[in-house]
């Protein structure tokens, strides 16, 4: 998953810092206030009570997916959704196809084929959820997997503020729907929210507060608007 300011490299050092001070495995509440793609929370799951937040719903969703994946059994579906979606050849000419691919626009974020597969994935996940076949954890896990799948075939430099004018080789590969790579540790219950930290911090009881805000002037919403649209499924008319 390509993401500005990812903390994948920092997370082990933070875990070591907390461990040396006896702050892990003691039931303390850890508030990951700018969770991003969940690198820190995923490294701490099972060792603290986690509270995650990000102003982007897509970021909170991706983080929850990383945390919940090991515990998802998909008993309501009765089959493996990853294998089903990945092996299916179905497509839909939906919102992504019409607005973010040459299939229905001048935009080159995705090939028409991949965009139509993304639309199929999103619609199928929504149908399963609305049909009561997924619990909350499973729904978040599938949406997080979709975010990951999209990131591997997007024709961008890593963010979605603009697309590349020529097709990158990664964008020409068929999209895959593959279970997230994460540790097998169970996270236990996770509190979650999506909002501005300054608006909610006083109402979040925690023992350890981790603040790691963006270091750029650009708002992440402009860089990851496409992922927000995908997860919210709000189909904005002003593009």
């Amino acid at each position: 998953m390509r993401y500005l300011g990812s903390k994948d490299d920092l997370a082990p050092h933070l875990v070591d810092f907390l461990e040396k001070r006896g702050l892990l495995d003691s039931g303390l509440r850890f508030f990951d206030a700018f969770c991003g793609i969940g690198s820190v929370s995923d490294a701490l799951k099972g060792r603290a009570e986690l509270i995650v937040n990000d102003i982007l719903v897509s970021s909170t969703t991706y983080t929850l997916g990383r945390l919940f994946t090991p515990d998802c059994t998909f008993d309501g579906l009765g089959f493996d959704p990853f294998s089903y979606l990945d092996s299916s050849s179905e497509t839909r000419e939906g919102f992504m196809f019409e607005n973010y691919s040459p299939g229905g626009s001048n935009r080159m974020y995705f090939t028409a084929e991949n965009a139509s597969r993304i639309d199929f994935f999103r619609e199928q996940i929504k149908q399963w959820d609305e049909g009561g076949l997924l619990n909350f954890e499973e729904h978040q896990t599938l949406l997080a997997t979709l975010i990951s799948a999209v990131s591997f075939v997007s024709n961008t430099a890593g963010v979605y503020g603009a697309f590349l004018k020529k097709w990158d080789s990664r964008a020409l590969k068929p999209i895959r729907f593959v279970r997230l790579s994460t540790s097998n540790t169970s996270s236990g219950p996770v509190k979650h929210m999506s909002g501005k930290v300054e608006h909610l911090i006083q109402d979040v009881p925690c023992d350890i507060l981790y603040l790691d805000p963006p270091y750029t002037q650009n708002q992440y919403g402009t860089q990851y608007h496409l992922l927000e649209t995908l997860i919210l499924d709000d189909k904005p008319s002003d593009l």
Side-chain angles (χ1 to χ4, degrees):
M1 173 68 180
R2 294 182 292 171
Y3 194 81
L4 285 174
S6 170
K7 300 302 183 293
D8 283 343
D9 293 335
L10 174 65
H13 300 287
L14 182 59
V15 171
D16 183 61
F17 175 86
L18 295 172
E19 191 168 40
K20 288 179 177 178
R21 286 155 180 78
L23 298 175
L24 298 181
D25 306 311
S26 54
L28 297 180
R29 290 166 293 188
F30 183 93
F31 183 26
D32 192 354
F34 297 85
C35 64
I37 58 171
S39 302
V40 172
S41 288
D42 192 47
L44 288 172
K45 67 183 179 184
R47 309 200 65 184
E49 294 184 19
L50 297 173
I51 308 169
V52 300
N53 172 73
D54 200 280
I55 194 171
L56 297 181
V57 175
S58 55
S59 288
T60 304
T61 296
Y62 190 82
T63 296
L64 291 176
R66 291 183 72 170
L67 298 177
F68 293 149
T69 289
D71 296 322
C72 291
T73 59
F74 298 98
D75 291 338
L77 280 177
F79 57 86
D80 182 351
F82 306 100
S83 177
Y84 172 82
L85 292 173
D86 191 50
S87 62
S88 171
S89 59
E90 288 195 52
T91 61
R92 297 285 189 278
E93 294 184 3
F95 190 81
M96 290 292 159
F97 178 87
E98 292 292 343
N99 293 279
Y100 292 108
S101 86
S105 73
N106 294 322
R107 298 185 178 98
M108 296 171 56
Y109 283 94
F110 309 104
T111 63
E113 176 63 20
N114 279 337
S116 65
R117 293 281 287 152
I118 293 168
D119 283 324
F120 164 64
F121 294 155
R122 187 65 184 90
E123 182 179 321
Q124 185 62 82
I125 293 169
K126 183 176 182 178
Q127 288 179 1
W128 287 338
D129 183 52
E130 292 182 344
L133 300 177
L134 303 174
N135 60 32
F136 174 76
E137 291 80 4
E138 292 165 347
H139 186 222
Q140 296 298 294
T141 293
L142 291 181
L143 290 178
T145 304
L146 179 55
I147 291 173
S148 177
V150 163
S151 74
F152 282 112
V153 297
S154 63
N155 190 43
T156 69
V159 297
Y160 300 87
F163 55 84
L164 301 177
K165 304 304 181 183
K166 295 182 179 180
W167 291 109
D168 185 278
S169 59
R170 73 165 61 222
L172 297 175
K173 296 178 180 179
I175 192 170
R176 301 289 310 278
F177 198 91
V178 180
R179 185 187 291 263
L180 294 177
S181 177
T182 183
S183 73
N184 292 324
T185 303
S186 175
S187 67
V190 179
K191 295 183 179 180
H192 62 93
M193 57 204 74
S194 292
K196 291 185 176 182
V197 173
E198 59 266 32
H199 293 166
L200 53 83
I201 187 65
Q202 63 184 5
D203 298 319
V204 180
C206 63
D207 302 297
I208 306 169
L209 173 62
Y210 176 59
L211 296 171
D212 198 346
Y215 304 115
T216 64
Q217 292 182 345
N218 294 330
Q219 291 293 318
Y220 272 36
T222 63
Q223 303 298 327
Y224 295 100
H225 63 92
L226 188 149
L227 299 183
E228 285 291 278
T229 294
L230 182 65
I231 297 308
L232 293 174
D233 197 31
D234 54 359
K235 300 178 174 64
S237 58
D238 185 17
L239 289 175

